[in-house]
Amino acid sequence: MNRRYRKTIIAGNWKMNKTPAETRALIDELKPMVSKAKWCEVVLCVPFVDIPMAVRLLKDTRVAIGAQNLHQLDSGAYTGEVSGPMLKNAGVKYVVVGHSERRQYFGEDDALVSEKVQAALSAGLRPIVCVGETLSQRESGVTMELVAYQVKSALSGVPVARLREVVFAYEPIWAIGTGRTATAEQAGEVCNHIRTVIRKMHGARPARSVTIQYGGSMNAENAAELLAQLDVDGGLVGGASLKPKDFTAIVNASNQ
Ligand code: PEP
């Protein structure tokens, strides 16, 4: 982490878990433990239906609410979809874009991710853009090339002045929900590569202002080592974000 130039962000991705009633119980437990963290921004990316409850329970705290997806257009005949302006109006600050589960199960490709990044920014939301490789891509040695392509594509419509609002999450797909974490060196290497790609596109000053998270089985035990890497500026945390003590330990591990 390098807190001089960019914000450390620890974001929980609840995925498709927790009803509004369960959200209340989880936040009631979590709130006293994380709401005073001053060294990082804590974000809870909750299911759409839990947003009103989460926003209400966490208003007047430092904890921000995120969504897990948005549609690329602002409104229209797109049954079942939710737009950026709707999320903004509901009190959301961040939105996950291009999570590997959306790429894998819902056919989201880099072109759509790019449209969603622009939709998020134009609605006043900060996109958390997920990039990362499969195990076979890592084994065939294309990780750096693939991640560079994903980053360039996601940023293709983003003006340099808005770059610092974009968050990247390097999430090796083989580490998500598997209990298999990238080593701190692997995480640091790819996060550094992401910053290099941004630097080549836009220059050193904008590149050093971008928060780059690691995600993939981050937990209470491995968080400190991952977050000690210079270019790892936080975590996107799935499973462990549903366990208040573990998530709190990760938030506390970012205070280094
Ligand atoms: C995620 O959902 O983005 C994630 C990293 O999940 P997990 O921490 O469970 O691997």
Side-chain angles (χ1 to χ4, degrees), residues 13 15 99 101 130 171 175-179 214-218 236-240:
N13 174 18
K15 312 195 188 203
H99 191 280
E101 287 152 16
C130 301
E171 297 212 311
I176 299 176
T178 58
Y214 167 78
S217 300
M218 186 181 266
L236 183 55
V237 185

PDB file of all heavy atoms in Angstrom, residues 13 15 99 101 130 171 175-179 214-218 236-240, ligand 1:
ATOM      1  N   ASN A  13     -17.645  -8.279  -0.794  1.00  0.00           N
ATOM      2  CA  ASN A  13     -18.592  -8.651  -1.853  1.00  0.00           C
ATOM      3  C   ASN A  13     -19.464  -9.778  -1.306  1.00  0.00           C
ATOM      4  O   ASN A  13     -19.015 -10.919  -1.206  1.00  0.00           O
ATOM      5  CB  ASN A  13     -17.810  -9.119  -3.091  1.00  0.00           C
ATOM      6  CG  ASN A  13     -18.743  -9.648  -4.176  1.00  0.00           C
ATOM      7  OD1 ASN A  13     -19.939  -9.377  -4.160  1.00  0.00           O
ATOM      8  ND2 ASN A  13     -18.191 -10.390  -5.123  1.00  0.00           N
ATOM      9  N   LYS A  15     -21.931 -11.136  -2.613  1.00  0.00           N
ATOM     10  CA  LYS A  15     -22.502 -11.999  -3.668  1.00  0.00           C
ATOM     11  C   LYS A  15     -23.998 -12.183  -3.430  1.00  0.00           C
ATOM     12  O   LYS A  15     -24.645 -11.282  -2.929  1.00  0.00           O
ATOM     13  CB  LYS A  15     -21.753 -13.332  -3.753  1.00  0.00           C
ATOM     14  CG  LYS A  15     -20.239 -13.147  -3.785  1.00  0.00           C
ATOM     15  CD  LYS A  15     -19.521 -14.381  -4.232  1.00  0.00           C
ATOM     16  CE  LYS A  15     -18.025 -14.182  -4.043  1.00  0.00           C
ATOM     17  NZ  LYS A  15     -17.237 -15.037  -4.877  1.00  0.00           N
ATOM     18  N   HIS A  99     -17.070  -8.513 -12.564  1.00  0.00           N
ATOM     19  CA  HIS A  99     -16.625  -9.620 -11.695  1.00  0.00           C
ATOM     20  C   HIS A  99     -16.540 -10.896 -12.537  1.00  0.00           C
ATOM     21  O   HIS A  99     -17.343 -11.099 -13.450  1.00  0.00           O
ATOM     22  CB  HIS A  99     -17.626  -9.792 -10.538  1.00  0.00           C
ATOM     23  CG  HIS A  99     -17.115 -10.707  -9.474  1.00  0.00           C
ATOM     24  ND1 HIS A  99     -17.166 -12.088  -9.585  1.00  0.00           N
ATOM     25  CD2 HIS A  99     -16.529 -10.454  -8.279  1.00  0.00           C
ATOM     26  CE1 HIS A  99     -16.625 -12.621  -8.504  1.00  0.00           C
ATOM     27  NE2 HIS A  99     -16.227 -11.663  -7.690  1.00  0.00           N
ATOM     28  N   GLU A 101     -17.493 -13.771 -12.016  1.00  0.00           N
ATOM     29  CA  GLU A 101     -18.733 -14.558 -12.047  1.00  0.00           C
ATOM     30  C   GLU A 101     -19.704 -13.983 -13.069  1.00  0.00           C
ATOM     31  O   GLU A 101     -20.472 -14.709 -13.694  1.00  0.00           O
ATOM     32  CB  GLU A 101     -19.349 -14.605 -10.635  1.00  0.00           C
ATOM     33  CG  GLU A 101     -18.536 -15.524  -9.718  1.00  0.00           C
ATOM     34  CD  GLU A 101     -18.586 -15.175  -8.246  1.00  0.00           C
ATOM     35  OE1 GLU A 101     -19.471 -14.399  -7.830  1.00  0.00           O
ATOM     36  OE2 GLU A 101     -17.723 -15.679  -7.501  1.00  0.00           O
ATOM     37  N   CYS A 130     -13.089  -5.559 -12.007  1.00  0.00           N
ATOM     38  CA  CYS A 130     -12.377  -6.811 -11.733  1.00  0.00           C
ATOM     39  C   CYS A 130     -11.682  -7.322 -12.987  1.00  0.00           C
ATOM     40  O   CYS A 130     -12.287  -7.386 -14.065  1.00  0.00           O
ATOM     41  CB  CYS A 130     -13.357  -7.874 -11.250  1.00  0.00           C
ATOM     42  SG  CYS A 130     -14.238  -7.391  -9.766  1.00  0.00           S
ATOM     43  N   GLU A 171      -8.200 -10.054  -9.528  1.00  0.00           N
ATOM     44  CA  GLU A 171      -8.782 -11.263  -8.965  1.00  0.00           C
ATOM     45  C   GLU A 171      -8.459 -12.468  -9.842  1.00  0.00           C
ATOM     46  O   GLU A 171      -9.163 -12.731 -10.833  1.00  0.00           O
ATOM     47  CB  GLU A 171     -10.309 -11.102  -8.863  1.00  0.00           C
ATOM     48  CG  GLU A 171     -10.741  -9.995  -7.939  1.00  0.00           C
ATOM     49  CD  GLU A 171     -12.068 -10.320  -7.262  1.00  0.00           C
ATOM     50  OE1 GLU A 171     -13.031 -10.706  -7.945  1.00  0.00           O
ATOM     51  OE2 GLU A 171     -12.118 -10.217  -6.033  1.00  0.00           O
ATOM     52  N   ALA A 175      -8.379 -18.256  -7.737  1.00  0.00           N
ATOM     53  CA  ALA A 175      -8.293 -18.005  -6.291  1.00  0.00           C
ATOM     54  C   ALA A 175      -9.630 -17.571  -5.693  1.00  0.00           C
ATOM     55  O   ALA A 175      -9.732 -17.404  -4.480  1.00  0.00           O
ATOM     56  CB  ALA A 175      -7.236 -16.935  -6.014  1.00  0.00           C
ATOM     57  N   ILE A 176     -10.647 -17.397  -6.539  1.00  0.00           N
ATOM     58  CA  ILE A 176     -11.915 -16.876  -6.015  1.00  0.00           C
ATOM     59  C   ILE A 176     -12.781 -18.001  -5.472  1.00  0.00           C
ATOM     60  O   ILE A 176     -13.153 -18.923  -6.200  1.00  0.00           O
ATOM     61  CB  ILE A 176     -12.692 -16.103  -7.111  1.00  0.00           C
ATOM     62  CG1 ILE A 176     -11.861 -14.912  -7.582  1.00  0.00           C
ATOM     63  CG2 ILE A 176     -14.055 -15.651  -6.597  1.00  0.00           C
ATOM     64  CD1 ILE A 176     -12.493 -14.147  -8.721  1.00  0.00           C
ATOM     65  N   GLY A 177     -13.047 -17.929  -4.170  1.00  0.00           N
ATOM     66  CA  GLY A 177     -13.925 -18.900  -3.525  1.00  0.00           C
ATOM     67  C   GLY A 177     -13.332 -20.294  -3.451  1.00  0.00           C
ATOM     68  O   GLY A 177     -14.033 -21.266  -3.170  1.00  0.00           O
ATOM     69  N   THR A 178     -12.047 -20.416  -3.694  1.00  0.00           N
ATOM     70  CA  THR A 178     -11.424 -21.740  -3.739  1.00  0.00           C
ATOM     71  C   THR A 178     -10.588 -22.033  -2.499  1.00  0.00           C
ATOM     72  O   THR A 178     -10.184 -23.169  -2.285  1.00  0.00           O
ATOM     73  CB  THR A 178     -10.466 -21.839  -4.954  1.00  0.00           C
ATOM     74  OG1 THR A 178      -9.477 -20.795  -4.829  1.00  0.00           O
ATOM     75  CG2 THR A 178     -11.216 -21.673  -6.266  1.00  0.00           C
ATOM     76  N   GLY A 179     -10.303 -20.988  -1.729  1.00  0.00           N
ATOM     77  CA  GLY A 179      -9.412 -21.165  -0.583  1.00  0.00           C
ATOM     78  C   GLY A 179      -7.957 -21.132  -1.012  1.00  0.00           C
ATOM     79  O   GLY A 179      -7.040 -21.186  -0.201  1.00  0.00           O
ATOM     80  N   TYR A 214      -6.464  -6.457  -4.299  1.00  0.00           N
ATOM     81  CA  TYR A 214      -6.343  -7.884  -4.615  1.00  0.00           C
ATOM     82  C   TYR A 214      -7.611  -8.570  -4.119  1.00  0.00           C
ATOM     83  O   TYR A 214      -8.147  -8.216  -3.053  1.00  0.00           O
ATOM     84  CB  TYR A 214      -5.122  -8.520  -3.914  1.00  0.00           C
ATOM     85  CG  TYR A 214      -5.196 -10.025  -3.982  1.00  0.00           C
ATOM     86  CD1 TYR A 214      -4.853 -10.698  -5.147  1.00  0.00           C
ATOM     87  CD2 TYR A 214      -5.716 -10.763  -2.904  1.00  0.00           C
ATOM     88  CE1 TYR A 214      -5.000 -12.079  -5.242  1.00  0.00           C
ATOM     89  CE2 TYR A 214      -5.860 -12.142  -2.996  1.00  0.00           C
ATOM     90  CZ  TYR A 214      -5.499 -12.788  -4.174  1.00  0.00           C
ATOM     91  OH  TYR A 214      -5.661 -14.149  -4.267  1.00  0.00           O
ATOM     92  N   GLY A 215      -8.090  -9.544  -4.857  1.00  0.00           N
ATOM     93  CA  GLY A 215      -9.224 -10.356  -4.394  1.00  0.00           C
ATOM     94  C   GLY A 215      -9.014 -11.808  -4.775  1.00  0.00           C
ATOM     95  O   GLY A 215      -8.510 -12.111  -5.866  1.00  0.00           O
ATOM     96  N   GLY A 216      -9.416 -12.702  -3.889  1.00  0.00           N
ATOM     97  CA  GLY A 216      -9.273 -14.132  -4.140  1.00  0.00           C
ATOM     98  C   GLY A 216      -8.874 -14.828  -2.857  1.00  0.00           C
ATOM     99  O   GLY A 216      -7.695 -14.884  -2.526  1.00  0.00           O
ATOM    100  N   SER A 217      -9.908 -15.302  -2.116  1.00  0.00           N
ATOM    101  CA  SER A 217      -9.670 -16.011  -0.859  1.00  0.00           C
ATOM    102  C   SER A 217      -8.820 -15.209   0.130  1.00  0.00           C
ATOM    103  O   SER A 217      -8.025 -15.776   0.883  1.00  0.00           O
ATOM    104  CB  SER A 217      -9.056 -17.395  -1.107  1.00  0.00           C
ATOM    105  OG  SER A 217      -9.942 -18.176  -1.892  1.00  0.00           O
ATOM    106  N   MET A 218      -8.994 -13.884   0.127  1.00  0.00           N
ATOM    107  CA  MET A 218      -8.321 -13.089   1.171  1.00  0.00           C
ATOM    108  C   MET A 218      -9.016 -13.390   2.491  1.00  0.00           C
ATOM    109  O   MET A 218     -10.243 -13.478   2.557  1.00  0.00           O
ATOM    110  CB  MET A 218      -8.400 -11.588   0.856  1.00  0.00           C
ATOM    111  CG  MET A 218      -7.591 -10.731   1.822  1.00  0.00           C
ATOM    112  SD  MET A 218      -7.714  -8.954   1.479  1.00  0.00           S
ATOM    113  CE  MET A 218      -6.291  -8.695   0.438  1.00  0.00           C
ATOM    114  N   LEU A 236     -10.727  -6.968  -2.264  1.00  0.00           N
ATOM    115  CA  LEU A 236     -12.121  -7.265  -2.577  1.00  0.00           C
ATOM    116  C   LEU A 236     -12.348  -8.649  -1.981  1.00  0.00           C
ATOM    117  O   LEU A 236     -11.717  -9.619  -2.399  1.00  0.00           O
ATOM    118  CB  LEU A 236     -12.376  -7.229  -4.087  1.00  0.00           C
ATOM    119  CG  LEU A 236     -13.822  -7.456  -4.545  1.00  0.00           C
ATOM    120  CD1 LEU A 236     -14.787  -6.469  -3.883  1.00  0.00           C
ATOM    121  CD2 LEU A 236     -13.948  -7.340  -6.065  1.00  0.00           C
ATOM    122  N   VAL A 237     -13.205  -8.704  -0.992  1.00  0.00           N
ATOM    123  CA  VAL A 237     -13.278  -9.878  -0.121  1.00  0.00           C
ATOM    124  C   VAL A 237     -14.651 -10.538  -0.252  1.00  0.00           C
ATOM    125  O   VAL A 237     -15.669  -9.892   0.023  1.00  0.00           O
ATOM    126  CB  VAL A 237     -13.069  -9.447   1.350  1.00  0.00           C
ATOM    127  CG1 VAL A 237     -13.023 -10.670   2.264  1.00  0.00           C
ATOM    128  CG2 VAL A 237     -11.818  -8.593   1.504  1.00  0.00           C
ATOM    129  N   GLY A 238     -14.687 -11.785  -0.685  1.00  0.00           N
ATOM    130  CA  GLY A 238     -15.954 -12.493  -0.827  1.00  0.00           C
ATOM    131  C   GLY A 238     -16.336 -13.197   0.461  1.00  0.00           C
ATOM    132  O   GLY A 238     -16.871 -12.591   1.395  1.00  0.00           O
ATOM    133  N   GLY A 239     -16.031 -14.494   0.533  1.00  0.00           N
ATOM    134  CA  GLY A 239     -16.448 -15.324   1.664  1.00  0.00           C
ATOM    135  C   GLY A 239     -16.195 -14.716   3.038  1.00  0.00           C
ATOM    136  O   GLY A 239     -17.091 -14.706   3.903  1.00  0.00           O
ATOM    137  N   ALA A 240     -15.008 -14.191   3.255  1.00  0.00           N
ATOM    138  CA  ALA A 240     -14.666 -13.679   4.583  1.00  0.00           C
ATOM    139  C   ALA A 240     -15.449 -12.418   4.945  1.00  0.00           C
ATOM    140  O   ALA A 240     -15.516 -12.043   6.121  1.00  0.00           O
ATOM    141  CB  ALA A 240     -13.154 -13.413   4.665  1.00  0.00           C
TER     142      ALA A 240
HETATM  143  C1  PEP B   1     -14.882 -12.138  -4.750  1.00  0.00           C
HETATM  144  O1  PEP B   1     -16.053 -12.483  -4.694  1.00  0.00           O
HETATM  145  O2  PEP B   1     -14.567 -11.144  -5.418  1.00  0.00           O
HETATM  146  C2  PEP B   1     -13.889 -12.921  -4.010  1.00  0.00           C
HETATM  147  C3  PEP B   1     -12.632 -12.556  -4.065  1.00  0.00           C
HETATM  148  O3  PEP B   1     -14.352 -14.003  -3.325  1.00  0.00           O
HETATM  149  P1  PEP B   1     -13.518 -14.863  -2.227  1.00  0.00           P
HETATM  150  O4  PEP B   1     -12.894 -13.881  -1.290  1.00  0.00           O
HETATM  151  O5  PEP B   1     -14.563 -15.715  -1.565  1.00  0.00           O
HETATM  152  O6  PEP B   1     -12.502 -15.639  -2.964  1.00  0.00           O
END
